[in-house]
Amino acid sequence: MSDRPKYDAIIIGAGIIGANLGFEMSKAGYKTLNIDKLPAAGYGSTANSCAIIRTHYSTWAGVVMAYEGFHYWKDWEDYLEVGDERGVAGFVQCGAVFVGSHGGHMEKVLPLFDEIGIPYEVLDTEQLAERLPGIDTGEHAPPKRPDDDAFWEDPASQITSAVHTPIAGYVTDPQLATHNLQRAAEAKGGEFMFNAEVAGIRTDAGRVAGVDLADGTSIDASIVINVAGPHSFVINEMAGVAESMGIKTRALRHEVHHVPSPRGLDFEKDGMLVGDDDLGTYFRPEVGNNILVGSQDPECDPQIWVQNPDEFDRSITEDQWRAQVLRLARRLPSLGVPSERKGVVDLYDVSDDWIPIYDKTDLDGFYVAIGTSGNQFKNSHIAAYCMTRLIAAVESGHDHDSDPVRVKMPYTGFNLDMGVFSRNREINEASSFSVLG
Ligand SMILES: Cc1cc2nc3c(=O)[nH]c(=O)nc-3n(C[C@H](O)[C@H](O)[C@H](O)COP(=O)(O)OP(=O)(O)OC[C@H]3O[C@@H](n4cnc5c(N)ncnc54)[C@H](O)[C@@H]3O)c2cc1C
């Protein structure tokens, strides 16, 4: 009997990125096993993702990846190649409008849109009011909190330009999308193990050899990939690679609130994704004529870094609810502020420069797809596609650290230098250092 391990690769995590990696690697011929400590695919931070698809990133690589990602969502059923007994996740292409440029984000983005060929239109005040029913076009920057008297002042000026992109929208059910990927991976021979916690990374002669589970089981594989979302730093510590990584990851708490659309406004049908740099929020239509509103983490908002990703406060706080919903009410003045606070609280896996780490590590055979910084749901497929090619190259002896792997994007044909996502890159100063990436 051969003592070759049953699996070529163990993927720690079955969130949107881990499940997608299971699919891409299985398609490429690897025998994969996704291990997740939760009971099903997409039950981690993916479950609470706003699943917004947009191309507004601060770097060339960020825009290219998101443009590529959009095409996958458009072709979702074809991409999966297989059905799912639970149905397939929907993509709603509602378009996006980005309002204000307090942090200078749009000045970085528009030249990239021109270079890459992303369609967009600049709207003046009147066009903005026409396109986004119910909107107040007052200019409020810089973002403030409601306990600051200045928050309540009448705007001294109007938003004079906003940027509309038709290539944007949202996925209706991020957990279902992840289940779709599980089924797609299984159809190619990938396996999934749930309710199983990785408690140790095993090595042999300086190379990864598999994982130990909390129940004492050991599973062998010569490739192990950390796709543990907000637990990424915990797994890196287990593997002994945390110290040697130039760019680190940390877990940041984030609240998203859920409110009914203003009376008389069908925001689900007529609304768009809105990136509101002027007030420091983003919001999008949600099924049932509701609105989801999150924060762009403006400077005035406290950042809550979480030391233990298994223990954090999952309740919506009065302070942040007021900040986000009242900011939304400044933009949509007919919004009624509900007395019952609804929404979700989850963790971003944030890298030092809010750009992901898609890379090998100093432990041979141990790879990372982490640091997704609240903005990589949209890119799961292209990230998984690139990681699969990076792993194949490194496993065949390529020195990715000195000669970064380049991957040709399947839809757009651009060549992406994977060195941009290196664990040892310099901090990327072009980044927004926020969820905008
Ligand atoms: C509130 C919120 C809103 C967001 N909105 C957007 C958005 O609008 N658009 C966008 O593009 N991105 C968004 N994001 C980011 C996006 O959702 C994430 O980048 C993406 O879901 C990360 O997927 P993942 O597979 O890496 O992580 P996860 O979904 O967190 O999966 C990691 C998995 O690893 C498992 N795991 C951890 N440790 C272990 C262990 N020891 N053993 C076994 N399993 C383990 C966990 O159980 C978990 O299921 C948002 C994120 C949040 C939190």
Side-chain angles (χ1 to χ4, degrees), residues 15-17 36-38 45-46 49-52 198 372 374 377-378:
I16 191 79
I17 309 236
D36 203 298
K37 61 183 180 174
L38 294 173
S45 67
T46 294
S49 181
C50 293
I52 288 167
V198 172
T372 59
F377 176 89
K378 62 183 75 55

Side-chain angles (χ1 to χ4, degrees), residues 182-399:
Q182 178 190 339
R183 288 289 180 257
E186 287 167 341
K188 300 287 177 199
E191 292 184 30
F192 286 73
M193 181 185 275
F194 293 109
N195 297 309
E197 179 172 355
V198 172
I201 308 292
R202 282 183 311 106
T203 59
D204 184 19
R207 187 185 164 95
V208 82
V211 300
D212 293 325
L213 302 185
D215 69 1
T217 315
S218 294
I219 307 175
D220 295 339
S222 61
I223 298 173
V224 173
I225 307 130
N226 175 2
V227 200
H231 290 79
S232 66
F233 71 93
V234 179
I235 302 290
N236 281 344
E237 278 163 17
M238 258 180 219
V241 300
E243 280 304 308
S244 63
M245 294 192 46
I247 302 278
K248 314 285 186 209
T249 54
R250 294 187 287 166
L252 180 68
R253 187 180 176 282
H254 188 78
E255 296 191 19
V256 174
H257 304 129
H258 185 276
V259 291
S261 289
R263 196 174 296 218
L265 186 64
D266 191 343
F267 198 77
E268 189 181 353
K269 184 165 133 296
D270 300 326
M272 288 187 241
L273 156 67
V274 180
D276 194 343
D277 213 14
D278 181 58
L279 282 158
T281 61
Y282 63 86
F283 53 98
R284 72 152 172 86
E286 170 66 342
V287 178
N289 200 18
N290 292 301
I291 301 180
L292 288 186
V293 55
S295 166
Q296 284 193 21
D297 303 311
E299 272 171 26
C300 57
D301 282 11
Q303 286 188 322
I304 301 174
W305 298 99
V306 169
Q307 303 303 320
N308 179 354
D310 289 318
E311 277 174 28
F312 63 97
D313 183 1
R314 283 192 175 267
S315 51
I316 294 164
T317 57
E318 166 76 18
D319 263 11
Q320 199 56 17
W321 164 266
R322 268 172 57 76
Q324 289 178 193
V325 176
L326 291 173
R327 283 169 182 155
L328 177 61
R330 296 240 70 177
R331 193 57 74 213
L332 297 175
S334 55
L335 185 85
V337 177
S339 53
E340 191 194 353
R341 303 197 293 258
K342 275 195 185 170
V344 294
V345 182
D346 220 312
L347 301 175
Y348 291 164
D349 176 34
V350 177
S351 77
D352 291 340
D353 56 8
W354 292 73
I355 288 172
I357 310 172
Y358 296 134
D359 201 3
K360 66 189 279 279
T361 66
D362 287 4
L363 172 61
D364 285 348
F366 186 75
Y367 297 83
V368 289
I370 59 173
T372 59
S373 304
N375 64 48
Q376 292 290 301
F377 176 89
K378 62 183 75 55
N379 291 343
S380 68
H381 10 57
I382 188 59
Y385 180 86
C386 290
M387 275 302 293
T388 303
R389 270 125 203 99
L390 186 154
I391 291 167
V394 173
E395 291 300 311
S396 333
H398 185 84
D399 184 353

